[in-house]
Amino acid sequence: MPGQLLAVLVLLLQPLGTQESQCPIPSIAHGQLSSAENFTFGSTATLQCDPGFVGTASTARCTHSGRWYPRVPSCTPGQCRHPPSVEFADFQPRREFPVGTTLSYSCRAGFSLIPGVSPTITCLQNFTWSAVPRLCQKVQCPSPAIPHGTETSPSRAEYTFGQQVEFQCDHGFMLRGSDRVQCSSDGIWRPPVPYCDRVCGPPPKITNGQHSGMGFTQFTYGSEVKYSCAEGLSLIGNKSLYCTSEDGENLTWSGRAPECRAVRCPKPVVERGRMSPQVFTFPYGLLLHFSCEEGFRLRGAAQSQCLADGTWDPPVPTCQPVLCPPPQVPFGKLKSPLGEQRWYQTNETVTLECLPGYQFPDNGMMENAWTATCLPDGSWTPLPKCMKEGDADVCQEVHYIKSTFECGMPVEKVKSLLEIQKLFLEIKKLEMELEN
Ligand SMILES: *[C@@H]1O[C@H](CO)[C@@H](O)[C@H](O)[C@H]1NC(C)=O
Ligand SMILES: *[C@@H]1O[C@H](CO)[C@@H](O)[C@H](O)[C@H]1NC(C)=O
Ligand SMILES: *[C@@H]1O[C@H](CO)[C@@H](O)[C@H](O)[C@H]1NC(C)=O
Ligand SMILES: *[C@@H]1O[C@H](CO)[C@@H](O)[C@H](O)[C@H]1NC(C)=O
Ligand SMILES: *[C@@H]1O[C@H](CO)[C@@H](O)[C@H](O)[C@H]1NC(C)=O
């Protein structure tokens, strides 16, 4: 039914009532049309979007056919442009920046946020970004100044990320650690800032000798240098020096360096003596031991050392012949016509006799002279005993018993010996009685 369809179309296109010369007032989300001419046919309206929104067109015209041209414009959310770039800072990348978006900047490595500054910006309703101040500053490292050291690189008021510093220690100090450090992005020097350690300078030099630290100029606390002398020379003094401290602060060498000198002690001459070790040279420090031949004894010290001044200390001893004192025999005397001497030499002999009324014990030989010889140890060959005549037999028994006691014989044994002795004497007595 084409007639009916046409009627509907006519109905739809028919402007309503008395405002038929106006375009319909459109409803626009986030905006509105405004016109001074009440949207009458042929008038132009301006699209005004709410803050933060933008129109697809700025104006619309109400046509004579009662429609808007372009077709009713709309307001869409507005966007900011790409955010401003901030020195030494970055933000999370994204594609769009609708009004109201808040972005946060972060400082690049080696930079830090300036204290009290907000790192965020917001897309405002006029499609501009809120103002952004300077956000980031270079990371600073603490001053790398070290005691007893200097920076060889020009020193600065402040030290920022990436800067390098080189160090040198004052005279008398040694650098411990790396001589070059760099300010890291986290504000720390890497490798760590070195320090200057006290050192000893070269140890004293000596003439005709050398030390083990040759070629070095700095010696750490506790270092030892050993000295040695040229061939044939003696080292006098301490063989080693140590880098040490006397005041707890400054370092020095532990003492005076030794000397190298030709020190020769004279060959010791000890008549009738011997020495060890058997050597042919007698340099400083040599220690000799002395002894004497048989029949002689040392007078002086048994050992002596060669001193730095070329003398022996204590002095070299001598060997003196061993002498015997006059032999002492109770109730005896010397038979020698020369009479008594003060001392007798080794191998010298004397003849002894007993005083009248005394005799030597009965040894089978009825001699009345006894010869004794002076021994190399200063004693005499066994000396005789002079006993009262007649007492000899008894004395001999007493001496015998005494000697058995002195031997340390057990008491039981001595007892039985005495029993035997008693029996023997009783038998002798019986025999004598029988004879009479
Ligand atoms: C617009 O319409 C209003 C009322 O609808 C009327 O008061 C006003 O006079 C009109 N203005 C113009 C310019 O026609
Ligand atoms: C946008 O708005 C802010 C705050 O309302 C204002 O300070 C700024 O000047 C405006 N920018 C422009 C380009 O109008
Ligand atoms: C270490 O040596 C310096 C320079 O010679 C001196 O000024 C300082 O007093 C010394 N320190 C001590 C503890 O003696
Ligand atoms: C040798 O060293 C010791 C210990 O270090 C020291 O006491 C002595 O004085 C030194 N002797 C000399 C001659 O320097
Ligand atoms: C003593 O005599 C012995 C043996 O006759 C002899 O070997 C020794 O050298 C002599 N001693 C002395 C000091 O004359």
Side-chain angles (χ1 to χ4, degrees):
M1 279 163 246
Q4 273 180 323
L5 190 68
L6 189 70
V8 171
L9 278 172
V10 166
L11 200 72
L12 280 172
L13 294 172
Q14 199 108 68
L16 295 167
T18 52
Q19 287 114 12
E20 49 194 26
S21 58
Q22 264 190 326
C23 279
I25 299 169
S27 129
I28 297 170
H30 307 297
Q32 57 189 36
L33 279 178
S34 63
S35 166
E37 295 161 29
N38 284 359
F39 312 126
T40 52
F41 288 169
S43 68
T44 298
T46 307
L47 178 64
Q48 283 186 324
C49 287
D50 291 345
F53 291 81
V54 286
T56 48
S58 57
T59 57
R61 196 161 57 85
C62 178
T63 61
H64 290 285
S65 56
R67 296 184 194 188
W68 290 104
Y69 181 83
R71 278 196 295 153
V72 183
S74 59
C75 288
T76 55
Q79 301 237 344
C80 281
R81 288 163 176 272
H82 199 269
S85 64
V86 175
E87 215 183 8
F88 314 127
D90 291 309
F91 55 86
Q92 204 76 37
R94 41 162 102 191
R95 277 166 197 270
E96 300 191 314
F97 306 97
V99 168
T101 302
T102 295
L103 278 182
S104 188
Y105 286 89
S106 50
C107 295
R108 289 178 198 152
F111 295 85
S112 63
L113 196 65
I114 295 170
V117 170
S118 168
T120 58
I121 55 169
T122 304
C123 178
L124 300 177
Q125 287 183 336
N126 60 8
F127 318 118
T128 62
W129 291 101
S130 57
V132 51
R134 205 167 79 89
L135 289 182
C136 301
Q137 61 187 5
K138 268 195 168 184
V139 162
Q140 287 199 11
C141 281
S143 163
I146 52 174
H148 310 296
T150 50
E151 289 168 44
T152 51
S153 41
S155 104
R156 298 180 172 88
E158 58 182 32
Y159 297 85
T160 54
F161 164 57
Q163 276 179 347
Q164 288 195 348
V165 173
E166 284 178 35
F167 299 96
Q168 198 172 33
C169 289
D170 299 343
H171 187 74
F173 291 83
M174 187 166 86
L175 194 83
R176 300 280 203 149
S178 173
D179 64 350
R180 177 191 288 211
V181 300
Q182 190 168 26
C183 180
S184 297
S185 59
D186 53 3
I188 291 171
W189 291 103
R190 289 206 172 80
V193 173
Y195 63 96
C196 291
D197 202 9
R198 281 182 198 275
V199 287
C200 282
K205 284 183 180 168
I206 55 171
T207 47
N208 300 320
Q210 55 182 10
H211 59 73
S212 57
M214 296 288 206
F216 297 94
T217 53
Q218 295 185 319
F219 296 82
T220 55
Y221 180 76
S223 301
E224 178 192 9
V225 287
K226 286 194 168 80
Y227 284 86
S228 57
C229 289
E231 181 86 33
L233 298 183
S234 299
L235 186 129
I236 294 153
N238 280 336
K239 206 178 167 108
S240 292
L241 289 188
Y242 298 87
C243 176
T244 181
S245 179
E246 275 163 19
D247 56 16
E249 185 188 336
N250 294 327
L251 300 185
T252 54
W253 290 103
S254 59
R256 283 182 44 193
E259 283 178 70
C260 289
R261 274 197 267 138
V263 173
R264 301 275 179 270
C265 276
K267 180 184 174 163
V269 178
V270 184
E271 297 276 7
R272 314 301 298 257
R274 289 179 289 263
M275 61 192 180
S276 70
Q278 283 196 302
V279 288
F280 302 100
T281 58
F282 304 91
Y284 167 72
L286 181 68
L287 184 67
L288 289 180
H289 299 263
F290 299 97
S291 58
C292 290
E293 286 174 14
E294 202 178 58
F296 292 82
R297 77 158 59 107
L298 276 179
R299 183 179 291 172
Q303 58 185 42
S304 182
Q305 192 165 27
C306 178
L307 294 187
D309 61 3
T311 61
W312 290 101
D313 179 62
V316 171
T318 57
C319 283
Q320 298 292 325
V322 174
L323 298 174
C324 291
Q328 298 295 319
V329 177
F331 311 114
K333 65 178 179 72
L334 283 174
K335 210 180 174 181
S336 154
L338 297 167
E340 200 175 276
Q341 292 169 223
R342 257 173 76 80
W343 294 100
Y344 295 87
Q345 293 191 351
T346 303
N347 286 357
E348 206 171 329
T349 61
V350 290
T351 307
L352 296 152
E353 59 185 1
C354 286
L355 297 177
Y358 290 82
Q359 65 175 70
F360 294 129
D362 184 9
N363 54 1
M365 302 174 290
M366 284 305 288
E367 282 183 66
N368 52 8
W370 184 289
T371 303
T373 307
C374 175
L375 293 174
D377 66 355
S379 69
W380 292 97
T381 52
L383 292 172
K385 302 229 155 40
C386 290
M387 285 164 289
K388 216 166 186 169
E389 278 167 6
D391 286 353
D393 278 0
V394 179
C395 278
Q396 213 164 2
E397 287 307 318
V398 170
H399 276 291
Y400 175 68
I401 294 163
K402 198 175 162 233
S403 66
T404 52
F405 268 112
E406 282 166 354
C407 281
M409 201 178 262
V411 178
E412 286 306 313
K413 237 177 174 178
V414 174
K415 261 187 180 171
S416 42
L417 271 174
L418 288 173
E419 288 301 323
I420 294 165
Q421 206 84 26
K422 200 175 156 193
L423 279 175
F424 168 76
L425 288 173
E426 272 169 17
I427 291 164
K428 246 189 160 177
K429 196 179 165 193
L430 272 175
E431 274 177 354
M432 275 161 82
E433 279 172 4
L434 283 177
E435 265 176 43
N436 295 348

